[in-house]
Amino acid sequence: MLLFVNCCISQRETESRTLKICRAFLDRYAQSHPEEEIAVEDLRERGIPNFDRNLLDERDLLMQKERFEEPIYDMARRFHDADRILVGAPYWDLLFPAELRAYIEHVSANGLCYHYEPDGCHGDCRAKKLVYITSGGGFEEKPCVPAEYWRQLCTIFGIPEFDYVFAEGVDVSPEMEEQSMRQAIQKAEELTVEM
Ligand SMILES: Cc1cc2nc3c(=O)[nH]c(=O)nc-3n(C[C@H](O)[C@H](O)[C@H](O)COP(=O)(O)O)c2cc1C
């Protein structure tokens, strides 16, 4: 199962550039993997609860009892079980929308998606690859902060392969947008081959 984490929150709604690149990826992926299920985690209007002290206590208690079937672990369970993961989110303030950060807090579930041993953290997610897709108004900075962030999360979660697509400069000019989107869509489609 491929899990698409859709955080393409956009004033352009369905015309979101980020979503357009994700769609190109998913269409090509569906063509080349017709037998595979594609599940969607839609974060665009979700209102994911942020963790405060009480919610953390509640989750820790469930973790100690290994009650990972409880609703608080729903997103983490789906993330853990996915064979491949696509995450799409626009480039906001050098990172991405807050809703995706809230999602990451939920999937960073100790005892389910990773665990600790004396030598450190070990990832337990099933996915063999995660691809991150974004689009930004300006040019890509190196290192690309959201891509590095996801690369390190993949290490924690035990996901061995990571790649990303950054459509840069899409607010610079219509010409730049067109060229950048074309390149981003091409790279996204190519990535489905190695997925
Ligand atoms: C709240 C917000 C924050 C943004 N922050 C940045 C930024 O830090 N750097 C940048 O290059 N573009 C930034 N942009 C521009 C978007 O990255 C760009 O327009 C992007 O293509 C939006 O994707 P979408 O078409 O999927 O909505 C920001 C846009 C918004 C709405």
Side-chain angles (χ1 to χ4, degrees):
M1 179 264 283
L2 180 139
L3 178 67
F4 171 38
V5 180
N6 181 357
C7 190
C8 298
I9 298 168
S10 176
Q11 289 153 302
R12 291 173 199 84
E13 300 195 335
T14 52
E15 290 306 303
S16 149
R17 287 104 157 210
T18 319
L19 188 58
K20 228 178 244 179
I21 306 164
C22 292
R23 279 211 205 94
F25 178 102
L26 292 168
D27 288 350
R28 182 60 65 88
Y29 187 83
Q31 277 171 18
S32 52
H33 302 74
E35 74 296 340
E36 189 153 346
E37 182 198 348
I38 296 177
V40 182
E41 193 79 78
D42 195 337
L43 309 186
R44 289 173 298 176
E45 291 174 21
R46 186 102 197 221
I48 298 172
N50 292 330
F51 278 96
D52 58 11
R53 194 188 154 167
N54 292 334
L55 200 55
L56 282 173
D57 285 347
E58 203 181 296
R59 183 169 71 166
D60 282 356
L61 212 62
L62 293 169
M63 188 255 286
Q64 282 151 21
K65 296 180 190 160
E66 297 190 10
R67 299 268 301 272
F68 298 116
E69 74 285 2
E70 294 290 334
I72 197 168
Y73 284 113
D74 282 354
M75 287 183 285
R77 256 194 342 270
R78 288 194 282 270
F79 190 86
H80 168 275
D81 291 349
D83 301 304
R84 293 157 188 84
I85 300 169
L86 170 68
V87 181
Y91 188 49
W92 279 13
D93 310 319
L94 300 181
L95 205 59
F96 41 63
E99 200 66 4
L100 186 54
R101 171 65 199 141
Y103 175 77
I104 291 166
E105 286 186 6
H106 279 259
V107 300
S108 297
N110 188 2
L112 180 61
C113 292
Y114 69 92
H115 70 278
Y116 288 106
E117 289 184 22
D119 63 342
C121 181
H122 290 259
D124 295 311
C125 286
R126 186 177 297 165
K128 76 172 182 95
K129 183 160 185 169
L130 185 146
V131 169
Y132 183 70
I133 289 178
T134 191
S135 73
F139 295 106
E140 182 181 347
E141 302 286 342
K142 293 285 170 85
C144 177
V145 177
E148 276 315 301
Y149 185 56
W150 274 103
R151 192 188 301 282
Q152 295 197 26
L153 283 171
C154 284
T155 305
I156 292 171
F157 294 139
I159 300 173
E161 290 177 51
F162 169 80
D163 216 324
Y164 74 100
V165 178
F166 188 115
E168 64 175 354
V170 294
D171 291 334
V172 169
S173 68
E175 296 75 29
M176 183 72 213
E177 178 187 358
E178 205 213 308
Q179 180 193 328
S180 190
M181 285 296 289
R182 200 172 349 99
Q183 288 169 351
I185 286 171
Q186 190 184 342
K187 181 170 180 193
E189 289 176 344
E190 283 166 10
L191 284 178
T192 62
V193 177
E194 304 151 17
M195 203 59 184

